[in-house]
Each structure stands twice: as C-alpha cells, then as structure tokens.
Amino acid sequence: MTGRRPDWIHPAFRLIEGEDVFGWAEISALPAPAGGIVQADRPSRVLAALAAAEAAGQGLLLARGSVGTDGWQCGQGFSVSLESSGTTGTPKRLRHDFARLRGRLRGVAEEGARWLLTYDPGAFAGLQVMLTAAAAGAVLVAVPNSGRVTIAALAQAARQHAVTHVSGTPSFWRAFLMALGNQELPLAAVTLGGEAADQPLLDRLAERFPHARLRHIYASTEAGALFAVADGRAGFPAAWLDHAPDGLELRIADGVLEVRSPRAAPGAVDADGWLSTGDLVERRDDRVLFAGRLDGLVNVGGVKVSPEAVERRLLAVDGVADAAVVAVPSPITGHLLTATIVPVPGAGEAALRASLRAATADLPPAARPRALTFADHIPLSAAGKKSRKGTP
C-alpha cells in the first residue's frame, strides 16, 4: 500500500513495535488487507489497514480472533467494525463511522510523549490509544503479540523506552504496579478504562505517580468513548445525570446506567437513541458508583449476587494487591462464590485471611466467598480484564 498520509496520522508519529520502528513511510509500505478484513494483532497492521480502507472508501473489520467473514460485508463508504471482547458472553461486531469513532480524541501534541500500548490493537480501547498517539505525533511503544503479551514484558518495554503515558484496565494496573516494584517510571499521564476503577487503586496510583494526570475513562465498543473522570474519585459526579459532558445524556433505569451519545454505534441503540450499558450503578450522595454488571449477576441459593461488588470489598483490604471473585457451580445452591487473592509482598496469610473475612462479614451469606485461595497473580484476558466467562 502506498499513498497520501491520512490527516489523522501526524508526520512526527513513530511506532516502536518490538525491534521495528515505523513512521508513515513504513506503515504505507505494508500490504492492504484482503476483503476488508485484517487480523488485528499488531498496531502497524491495523494502522496500515485503516489508511488503506479510508483511501478505498470501504469498510474494515478488525478481527480479534480467527479471521473469517461470517457473512460480513465491507459495504460502501469508510467505516470500522470492531469485535467486543466477549468477557461475559459471545463477542459482538459493531460498525462505527470513523469520524464518530474519533469524536473525543483531542490530538493535542505533547512534546516527548511516549505511549505504551497495553490493550489489544483490535479492541476499542487499543484503537483509541493508537489513534491518540498517531494524531498527536507521539511515540507509541508496543510489544509484538506472539500469543499473549505478559505484564512483565509490558513493564520491561515501559522502562526500556521511558514511556510517559500509560492507559490500561484496573486489573492491568494492579499487576503492572507489582511488576514495576520500586523502579522509577517518568509517567505524565495515567489512564484507566475497560473496568470500573475502585478508590483504593486510584489512591495507590496517585501516591505512586504524584506528578501524573490521573483519570479513568468510561467507554465501550457499543457506546464509543463517553466520558473521563479526572477528580481522583471512583464513579462519576451525580450532577452528570442532569447535565452530562460532551453532548451526552445519562440516566439510571432499574439500577442500570443508560446513555445517549453522539458517538454510539448506530446498531446498538434503541429507536430513541438510548443504549443500556448493562452496568449496575448506585447513587450515593454526590456520586454515582459502579456496582457490577447486570449480565454478571449470579444466583446463589435464590439470591442475586454481583461478584464484582464483592471483589471490590476485598480489594479495599490492606495487604491485598489484587483479587478475583468468581462463581462456581454448586449442586445445592446453584452457585457459590470463591475468591483468589494476590497479597502484597510480606503480607501475613493468617492475618490477611482474618481481614478478608471481616471485610465481608456484613454481607448476606450468599455474597460471602466460601473459599479464599492465595496466588501470585490473576490471569487476564487478551482485553486486560478478568474473564467472567462461565458465570451466568
């Protein structure tokens, strides 16, 4: 593929992908995808495919699994179809207008900015990071995906290239902090997305990187980029239910957050433009806090329980670096909750077990984990999230 540089790629943009370095000349030399479908495993491949699809005026599918058409048609006009992560169910494909996809990207140049790509290049969040860096003329550092990129490899790349901007899921950040240990990193911007950001983690990041801008972003493949919270507090201001930023409308219906956004995928909204996010929320004073996923609720002896809500209880316990709460089948109650705990180095197991039990003592019996297992890490999906598959 050769051609004119797209206006969304700054001439100063550089991509470091393992040992390879790409500018526009190198990106434009990559082959265009066949049939409008690209295996979205490398940022260089994705950026080249986007430029080729735009030049051809046709749709592009960023395939995150095995490449197959499954009846997909590129259609007329440039668009980008993304596959959702399928963390809690079957992945979905949603087509986005490219201009709408870039709706909240500011493209502000920051001298010396060096971004680390922690997300899957084919994910909505990964694409947002790539497009942000490309538009700003920044350096984007990526670890080639040969199977699964480890947190240790990302931490090594961050140190090697002295990255200044990192965006990742809360689960990524907990593991990343452990991988960094006491080593310094010149971060100017710390961003969280993809999962609800809990207050203990926000506090840890603010303490660890006191000179960095800290914010958590709410976005999804269906809804697009919605809003960013930069006040260091979990959730978002309750005042946004009346006056939301960036052209949004927000409301709560039966405990679930619904949004109306100019950046949502057209096929994801109802006739009035509203989209049910599936995120359970609760209003507490001046704040709206996330309380888990509607499709993540499990039945434990006739009681609906949110594993994520219980998990956040455990994450707030001193001595816990990370935690994962999942439901396992039970012939008596339908399901039981179990918890895997990653302790901070030096934490005593007996004392930590007692603290964890105390943290859930006031919950209904169905919401108390029946088993606590200690581990050195929590496995993450390709999207950087704790997998909830198998939890009805």
Side-chain angles (χ1 to χ4, degrees):
M1 179 193 75
T2 57
R4 183 181 61 84
R5 175 179 55 82
D7 59 8
W8 45 269
I9 297 183
H10 192 284
F13 171 67
R14 293 295 180 271
L15 165 65
I16 299 175
E17 194 174 85
E19 300 299 320
D20 299 320
V21 179
F22 297 83
W24 168 244
E26 292 76 18
I27 292 172
S28 65
L30 295 174
I37 303 176
V38 63
Q39 181 69 51
D41 55 351
R42 286 175 175 258
S44 56
R45 188 173 292 161
V46 171
L47 291 170
L50 286 169
E54 183 180 41
Q58 67 177 28
L60 176 69
L61 170 63
L62 302 185
R64 301 176 65 183
S66 58
V67 175
T69 60
D70 292 337
W72 185 82
Q73 299 292 328
C74 61
Q76 295 295 317
F78 179 42
S79 65
V80 182
S81 292
L82 301 174
E83 295 185 330
S84 64
S85 64
T87 302
T88 57
T90 303
K92 293 177 287 186
R93 289 176 178 172
L94 287 165
R95 193 182 298 260
H96 289 263
D97 174 84
F98 190 60
R100 182 177 296 185
L101 195 65
R102 299 177 62 234
R104 291 197 75 255
L105 300 184
R106 307 307 187 206
V108 178
E110 293 185 72
E111 185 176 354
R114 303 172 76 87
W115 282 85
L116 178 68
L117 182 62
T118 73
Y119 295 105
D120 185 330
F124 178 85
L127 189 59
Q128 292 283 294
V129 170
M130 290 158 53
L131 293 176
T132 296
V139 172
L140 178 64
V141 177
V143 177
N145 185 358
S146 54
R148 180 69 59 83
V149 178
T150 66
I151 301 295
L154 289 169
Q156 180 180 351
R159 293 191 298 265
Q160 178 183 348
H161 298 287
V163 299
T164 59
H165 292 57
V166 179
S167 176
T169 66
S171 292
F172 160 83
W173 275 109
R174 295 186 196 99
F176 191 67
L177 287 173
M178 293 190 68
L180 278 180
N182 295 323
Q183 299 185 64
E184 293 297 322
L185 199 60
L187 291 190
V190 170
T191 307
L192 299 85
E195 297 172 319
D198 56 282
Q199 195 61 52
L201 178 59
L202 292 172
D203 293 342
R204 286 171 61 196
L205 290 169
E207 181 179 4
R208 182 71 170 78
F209 306 109
H211 303 297
R213 297 191 308 275
L214 175 62
R215 61 181 188 152
H216 48 105
I217 291 176
Y218 185 66
S220 72
T221 304
E222 298 86 357
L226 292 173
F227 55 78
V229 181
D231 60 8
R233 299 175 61 192
F236 62 89
W240 288 3
L241 294 173
D242 298 316
H243 302 286
D246 290 328
L248 297 177
E249 293 180 67
L250 305 174
R251 69 185 184 189
I252 300 174
D254 297 324
V256 177
L257 181 66
E258 296 185 347
V259 302
R260 185 152 59 183
S261 168
R263 295 172 292 280
V269 302
D270 66 16
D272 295 321
W274 285 95
L275 167 68
S276 176
T277 65
D279 286 312
L280 298 168
V281 294
E282 52 189 38
R283 183 170 183 167
R284 295 186 189 174
D285 300 324
D286 67 338
R287 211 70 181 173
V288 176
L289 300 175
F290 291 93
R293 292 280 303 169
L294 181 62
D295 55 11
L297 292 175
V298 294
N299 190 321
V300 180
V303 179
K304 292 289 186 179
V305 176
S306 168
E308 296 112 315
V310 178
E311 187 172 286
R312 278 193 279 279
R313 284 282 192 111
L314 304 182
L315 288 168
V317 174
D318 288 340
V320 173
D322 203 353
V325 175
V326 299
V328 297
S330 166
I332 299 175
T333 61
H335 291 91
L336 293 173
L337 295 189
T338 65
T340 301
I341 305 297
V342 178
V344 300
E349 181 174 330
L352 190 51
R353 282 185 181 276
S355 297
L356 291 165
R357 297 293 186 193
T360 57
D362 64 330
L363 293 176
R368 300 174 199 161
R370 295 299 181 92
L372 293 174
T373 303
F374 283 67
D376 59 3
H377 74 286
I378 303 292
L380 302 181
S381 70
K385 303 179 184 180
K386 295 164 187 170
S387 178
R388 308 290 179 184
K389 285 185 177 180
T391 306

